Amino acid sequence: MSFLVNLALGFLFGAGLVISGMADPAKVLNFLDLFGTWDPSLAFVMGGAVIVAFVGYRLVLARDKPIIGGTFHLPTRNDIDARVIAGPAIFGIGWGLGGFCPGPALSALGLGAPGTLAFLPAMILGMWGARLLADNRVQARTA
Amino acid sequence: MTEFTPFASLAGGVMIGLSAVMLMLWEGRIAGISGIAGELLPPYRDGAFLSRFGFVIGLIAAPVAIATATGEAIPQTVSSNVPLMIAAGLLVGFGSVWGNGCTSGHGVCGLSRLSTRSLAATVVFMATAFVTVFLVRHVIGG
């Protein structure tokens, strides 16, 4: 059941990316090109999503627990460490080079552009590398 | 040039926000794509693999379904510079997981929870992305 619900929510998310224009790297790169062919559309994507989530999370988190039970898995950290600066700095460079962040990159798979097919395996490899490196550091610290 | 599309972009953003809210309502998790995709590979720490897998399949299916239903191609211009796209993919993948989030996890979910950690992350990735595009288009390419 959770598989089907997630399938529907992933579909809604992906449809949102397409309708908003965020799935098109050209639009993303133009949003990021403040001093050139600036297209401010993506500020509206972020604005719409944040406003809905701001209100929606408040309603949802007033509940005791999620529908399927268990607990709400909310990030508890609020400190600003080196990783939460270095990671986004690296991510932003890649985003500016390719015009893809992880959601739009995945959603683009079925459209089969050569650039997407080069980007996606590299992205998955990078994600995996970061996880393994992070796990190693945790083990080294606790060993 | 791309066309300024405030209404379509706002509508798409609302859909993304609704997806995030309903994922929290259903099983109490943040809709961060780098987290969802990054945890698809082993080692597996929790029992949410099938959920994440379903979300990613839905994400991939949406553009194909929309293109099929409307009979129109999804407007998309992707660089065909393969070495550039491989480098970009590695940076996006590594950086988003290393920093515990990307545009969705920090940008949408984190900001709407008023997390200062996510605000810092969002400011940093927006800044390096703006600078990168500026350098590529106006300094190197200029």
Side-chain angles (χ1 to χ4, degrees):
Chain A
M1 183 65 187
S2 276
F3 175 81
L4 292 177
V5 171
N6 272 271
L7 189 73
L9 295 181
F11 192 96
L12 178 63
F13 197 108
L17 289 174
V18 170
I19 289 166
S20 67
M22 188 112 192
D24 183 1
K27 210 161 167 66
V28 173
L29 292 175
N30 279 338
F31 171 68
L32 295 171
D33 191 4
L34 283 179
F35 302 100
T37 51
W38 193 48
D39 175 355
S41 304
L42 296 197
F44 289 77
V45 188
M46 199 63 138
V50 168
I51 289 167
V52 169
F54 178 81
V55 176
Y57 275 172
R58 261 149 200 79
L59 297 174
V60 168
L61 295 174
R63 294 169 52 98
D64 293 334
K65 53 182 190 287
I67 289 176
I68 63 162
T71 52
F72 291 109
H73 302 279
L74 295 175
T76 48
R77 292 182 60 176
N78 217 4
D79 59 315
I80 294 168
D81 63 344
R83 268 182 67 175
V84 86
I85 299 299
I90 295 167
F91 160 52
I93 295 170
W95 193 33
L97 287 177
F100 271 141
C101 53
L106 283 168
S107 77
L109 174 64
L111 306 178
T116 306
L117 301 181
F119 185 95
L120 268 180
M123 181 182 89
I124 300 293
L125 195 67
M127 288 178 161
W128 203 33
R131 274 191 64 200
L132 296 179
L133 186 62
D135 285 354
N136 269 341
R137 291 193 1 159
V138 171
Q139 278 167 8
R141 219 173 293 142
T142 52
Chain B
M1 283 296 283
T2 49
E3 198 188 337
F4 177 49
T5 54
F7 299 109
S9 290
L10 189 65
V14 166
M15 292 167 73
I16 292 167
L18 281 176
S19 171
V21 169
M22 288 194 281
L23 185 64
M24 185 61 73
L25 174 64
W26 174 255
E27 58 183 80
R29 286 191 298 110
I30 293 281
I33 306 300
S34 55
I36 290 172
E39 301 275 331
L40 284 180
L41 290 165
Y44 300 115
R45 288 184 262 249
D46 56 25
F49 175 83
L50 264 184
S51 291
R52 297 193 177 102
F53 187 64
F55 197 95
V56 169
I57 297 295
L59 190 58
I60 294 171
V64 179
I66 291 172
T68 308
T70 61
E72 286 173 35
I74 305 287
Q76 194 189 57
T77 312
V78 186
S79 166
S80 51
N81 182 336
V82 168
L84 174 89
M85 291 306 276
I86 290 175
L90 285 171
L91 293 167
V92 166
F94 184 88
S96 60
V97 168
W98 192 247
N100 294 113
C102 57
T103 337
S104 47
H106 280 311
V108 174
C109 300
L111 289 190
S112 62
R113 294 178 53 247
L114 307 179
S115 155
T116 48
R117 191 170 153 86
S118 288
L119 177 63
T122 305
V123 167
V124 171
F125 72 65
M126 292 299 305
T128 57
F130 279 127
V131 170
T132 302
V133 170
F134 181 78
L135 291 176
V136 168
R137 288 198 171 175
H138 303 292
V139 178
I140 302 168

